[in-house]
Amino acid sequence: MEKVIEIINLTKTYGNGRGIYDLNLDIYKGDIFGFLGPNGAGKTTAMKIMTGLIRPENGDVKILGHSVVDEYEKAMAKVGCLIEIAESYQFLSAFENLKQIARYYPDVDHKRIDEVLELTGMYKFKYEKTKKFSLGMKQRLGLAAAVLSRPKVVILDEPLNGLDVEGMIDIRKMILSLAEKEQTTFFISSHLIHDVELTCNRIGVIYNGRILNVENTDAILKNYATLENYFVSEVERNGRVSSSAS
């Protein structure tokens, strides 16, 4: 199996004691990897390092063989991402916003912009200015931007934020379709356990800045009724051990 993302001894701590500690993870081609943990567990910190928004104190992330720390442009060349809130130019339409992004990619034409608007359920709002958009519509547009350049790797931090049930289903379908048809690799953080269960083929649980376990979803569901049961069990088992150890 081809390694697409390697997270090696990744550490970043903050003054309040939060952060991530010695994270190690391998993500393989075509994976839809779910990074599962409560708010404040370290998910966004790890993903900001993965996308070059902050630097680690220690360790590295390699994407498609290139170090995010030392070869940032090469590492990010085939990566699409959405970290935290989707931003847009409010006085431009959905189409015009994507056209601005398309300028960075010579092989992205108007047809591709229409494709991603369709994929994310935003085609009917193509000519509307984004200042009128709801949070969910902005999120859909951000996801359209993330997959616009046909990236090999897509990193999404809480991608279902602000989406209604219909939106969640649309985006889930999009992720599953791109992973299957284009072998796109997804790294998705979420605290919405049910959606992770329905979307991701591998799960990594992070708690208090440390990886507790990484497992195939199928294997988890053979032993637990739901992913939520597994998550609670892992946190209780490991959380108690780490708190008593410290």
Side-chain angles (χ1 to χ4, degrees):
M1 285 198 295
E2 183 188 334
K3 269 188 208 176
V4 173
I5 302 173
E6 293 175 77
I7 298 177
I8 309 146
N9 303 330
L10 206 59
T11 299
K12 171 77 179 176
T13 52
Y14 298 102
N16 61 7
R18 283 199 185 138
I20 53 172
Y21 306 90
D22 204 27
L23 253 55
N24 288 279
L25 264 179
D26 292 331
I27 313 298
Y28 300 95
K29 186 176 181 179
D31 263 351
I32 306 175
F33 184 86
F35 201 33
L36 198 58
N39 291 332
K43 300 188 301 293
T44 299
T45 296
M47 295 175 96
K48 281 183 172 177
I49 295 171
M50 289 168 74
T51 50
L53 295 174
I54 55 176
R55 288 181 75 85
E57 284 160 26
N58 192 39
D60 199 358
V61 178
K62 288 186 179 175
I63 302 179
L64 298 166
H66 298 289
S67 159
V68 167
V69 175
D70 298 325
E71 312 169 273
Y72 179 69
E73 285 186 17
K74 284 182 180 175
M76 295 301 292
K78 293 174 182 174
V79 177
C81 62
L82 176 57
I83 305 293
E84 295 189 321
I85 298 160
E87 297 289 351
S88 63
Y89 296 105
Q90 292 198 15
F91 295 99
L92 298 181
S93 68
F95 180 81
E96 288 165 340
N97 264 283
L98 294 178
K99 206 170 144 189
Q100 291 296 320
I101 296 164
R103 289 161 58 203
Y104 295 100
Y105 305 103
D107 55 345
V108 173
D109 55 13
H110 288 189
K111 182 168 170 280
R112 177 60 180 172
I113 294 175
D114 283 348
E115 268 175 28
V116 298
L117 286 169
E118 193 67 60
L119 264 177
T120 53
M122 286 299 291
Y123 189 79
K124 56 184 173 285
F125 308 111
K126 177 176 174 178
Y127 296 116
E128 281 192 29
K129 289 184 178 171
T130 64
K131 67 174 178 175
K132 298 175 183 170
F133 282 8
S134 67
L135 177 61
M137 289 162 75
K138 286 176 183 170
Q139 193 72 358
R140 285 181 189 237
L141 185 61
L143 290 161
V147 299
L148 182 65
S149 64
R150 298 182 185 84
K152 288 189 167 26
V153 180
V154 179
I155 298 170
L156 303 174
D157 182 24
E158 301 284 0
L160 304 177
N161 261 358
L163 294 180
D164 56 14
V165 173
E166 187 189 356
M168 288 181 181
I169 292 167
D170 285 348
I171 297 311
R172 204 187 298 143
K173 278 184 189 163
M174 179 194 86
I175 291 167
L176 291 165
S177 168
L178 290 175
E180 186 187 339
K181 290 177 186 167
E182 299 182 19
Q183 282 289 287
T184 310
T185 303
F186 284 88
F187 189 103
I188 302 170
S189 86
S190 185
H191 62 277
L192 300 172
I193 295 178
H194 180 61
D195 281 285
V196 170
E197 182 177 320
L198 292 172
T199 313
C200 301
N201 69 309
R202 289 176 71 225
I203 309 287
V205 176
I206 182 169
Y207 187 73
N208 282 344
R210 299 180 194 278
I211 296 280
L212 300 188
N213 207 352
V214 178
E215 190 61 85
N216 287 340
T217 311
D218 288 346
I220 292 169
L221 296 176
K222 277 178 189 163
N223 297 311
Y224 294 87
T226 63
L227 185 57
E228 188 173 345
N229 290 8
Y230 165 77
F231 176 74
V232 169
S233 149
E234 284 296 304
V235 166
E236 282 190 351
R237 191 161 57 84
N238 291 282
R240 281 179 188 155
V241 169
S242 63
S243 60
S244 62
S246 62

